[in-house]
Amino acid sequence: MTLPLSGITVVDLTHVLAGPFCSSQLQELGARVIKVERPGLGDDTRAFPPFVDGFSAYFAGLNHGKQSIALDLSTPEDRRIFEALLDQADVVLENFRPGVMEKLGYGWDTLHASRPKLIYGVVSGFGHTGPEAGKPAYDMVVQARGGVMSITGEKDRDPVRVGASIGDIVAGMYLVQGVLAALITRAQTGRGQKIDIAMLDAQIAILEHAVALTTATGVPPGRSGGRHPTITPFETFHAEDGLFVIAAGNDSLFAKLCTALRLGPLYEDPRFATNPARCENARLLKRLIEAITIEQPRKHWIAVLEAAGVPTGPIQNVAEALADPQLLSRNMLVDIEPAPGRPKFQCAGNPIKMTELPEHKTRPPAPLLDGDRQAVLDWLGMADATVG
């Protein structure tokens, strides 16, 4: 079985999250990813907790199946190795500050002139153009500046960061899309291109409803806690034993909800007959619904509503989600194969399901720092001048 990216080689200079998330997805799709790391230190996430017998589970989850070679690009010998890697690469990825690769002599203009088929993917906080292109950024900075934090949290309380690092992860996803599109274009034209992904841009790109509200009304949305700002009922509700969610996204689903909860013809009441009316009376509607749902546990109401065809579900913590039979049935928790004597890790499976993409229950191990140096040099047909 041929994997979608079989035969594609990615030289990956990225570190921490956005770039490694991208190259991890490319590796899942069959690309060979050669991770170029700093000698002695490697990727910062090698030192990120949690640890299992001294090895970072965080690093393993993002870098399983890749190869590692440590190169000091200030030395002639390692530059020779790096340039040999570039000669074999289809894609090079980096997430340094703008200008760093140019100082090393490996910026886009230089590489494109010498290797016109090479695809150059870069992810940074603010992109490679604009007045703030050179500024550093982390996930929280772009969540804050990109508007995401302004709509996250409870009304009349301080904004909060989204729990997952979506500033990095979404940018990494867009970089994957850019690489795949560039590979298709190269197959047609024979030429590579530069992909410039800014984390800040990516935050704006995911604010679908918030952007529409702001541009249409001139008023930016605020925080609405667990409820949708313009659809009701579409939020959390109390049951006897805690919270669960109901998402009745249209009038038909609201009528089904009323019937299932034995609320009578509430869906015909002018206060609730349309979504705009329900939004105006959202607090009253929530009280009416919770007067009923508080009498039984969440499991009871989820079963009742699912039988009625109303979207609903429990609020699960991460451990509960990782044990969810639906997720497990789709291979969304996998083992990372340890090397002999190494501890066992687990990580999220591949959410991209394709008929020709095998569903393995395990993943290859994450590389030791510089652990694949000899294998990479043998593949390049080079001797290691640092030995002996």
Side-chain angles (χ1 to χ4, degrees):
M1 185 175 291
T2 301
L3 299 177
L5 297 183
S6 179
I8 298 297
T9 297
V10 178
V11 173
D12 181 17
L13 291 89
T14 67
H15 54 281
V16 188
L17 180 50
F21 184 88
C22 168
S23 59
S24 178
Q25 294 297 298
L26 298 175
Q27 188 274 331
E28 289 272 22
L29 294 173
R32 178 181 191 174
V33 177
I34 300 173
K35 189 174 179 69
V36 177
E37 301 188 71
R38 296 171 297 173
L41 295 174
D43 191 319
D44 290 347
T45 59
R46 288 185 179 275
F48 282 17
F51 299 101
V52 179
D53 288 352
F55 294 96
S56 169
Y58 185 106
F59 176 84
L62 285 168
N63 293 285
H64 56 78
K66 302 175 185 178
Q67 295 180 293
S68 170
I69 184 169
L71 297 177
D72 180 352
L73 297 184
S74 68
T75 67
E77 176 57 28
D78 281 3
R79 287 176 69 90
R80 186 174 72 91
I81 295 170
F82 182 63
E83 289 169 13
L85 281 173
L86 292 175
D87 290 339
Q88 298 299 318
D90 298 282
V91 180
V92 62
L93 301 177
E94 58 104 341
N95 63 347
F96 300 117
R97 287 194 198 181
V100 169
M101 289 291 280
E102 283 75 12
K103 289 179 181 178
L104 291 169
Y106 300 117
W108 160 247
D109 291 337
T110 300
L111 291 184
H112 189 56
S114 61
R115 299 167 178 85
K117 292 185 177 181
L118 184 66
I119 293 166
Y120 186 107
V122 55
V123 58
S124 60
F126 301 104
H128 275 206
T129 60
E132 298 181 61
K135 281 189 175 181
Y138 276 96
D139 170 82
M140 191 165 187
V141 174
V142 297
Q143 282 199 37
R145 189 162 169 185
V148 171
M149 285 181 63
S150 76
I151 59 172
T152 306
E154 296 291 338
K155 184 179 180 181
D156 301 324
R157 302 192 68 177
D158 290 343
V160 298
R161 171 186 173 273
V162 176
S165 297
I166 63 169
D168 285 287
I169 291 170
V170 172
M173 287 180 175
Y174 281 122
L175 184 54
V176 171
Q177 293 178 32
V179 167
L180 297 179
L183 286 169
I184 293 172
T185 302
R186 190 184 69 172
Q188 299 166 343
T189 67
R191 292 179 64 80
Q193 57 188 297
K194 180 179 178 179
I195 305 151
D196 175 12
I197 303 295
M199 293 165 63
L200 183 62
D201 294 352
Q203 295 299 278
I204 292 294
I206 63 172
L207 291 181
E208 29 69 63
H209 192 255
V211 168
L213 277 173
T214 303
T215 57
T217 69
V219 180
R223 292 172 293 287
S224 56
R227 68 176 295 263
H228 194 282
T230 59
I231 303 175
T232 303
F234 207 98
E235 60 180 301
T236 58
F237 292 88
H238 284 90
E240 183 182 55
D241 59 346
L243 289 167
F244 70 112
V245 299
I246 299 173
N250 56 47
D251 293 344
S252 175
L253 286 172
F254 179 63
K256 291 179 180 180
L257 173 67
C258 292
T259 300
L261 296 184
R262 299 182 181 179
L263 284 165
L266 196 64
Y267 53 89
E268 297 178 351
D269 188 311
R271 296 172 298 173
F272 310 115
T274 66
N275 184 65
R278 291 193 293 275
C279 288
E280 287 184 15
N281 296 285
R283 300 188 74 164
L284 172 59
L285 181 57
K286 183 178 176 75
R287 289 198 298 269
L288 292 172
I289 292 173
E290 288 189 329
I292 293 173
T293 59
I294 200 69
E295 295 179 353
Q296 295 285 347
R298 291 172 295 178
K299 186 175 181 179
H300 169 83
W301 293 119
I302 290 170
V304 167
L305 295 176
E306 285 182 341
V310 178
T312 184
I315 299 174
Q316 299 188 142
N317 63 34
V318 176
E320 291 167 334
L322 293 179
D324 190 307
Q326 173 63 20
L327 290 166
L328 293 176
S329 75
R330 289 178 61 81
N331 202 38
M332 285 307 299
L333 182 65
V334 297
D335 293 333
I336 299 176
E337 294 176 345
R342 291 280 304 277
K344 180 179 177 180
F345 299 97
Q346 286 187 307
C347 68
N350 185 8
I352 302 172
K353 309 299 182 185
M354 300 172 65
T355 54
E356 298 297 319
L357 187 65
E359 280 286 345
H360 297 299
K361 298 292 185 182
T362 58
R363 297 293 186 271
L368 298 175
L369 177 59
D370 206 30
D372 301 287
R373 185 182 190 88
Q374 192 59 55
V376 171
L377 292 177
D378 289 346
W379 173 63
L380 293 172
M382 300 178 71
D384 190 348
T386 65
V387 176

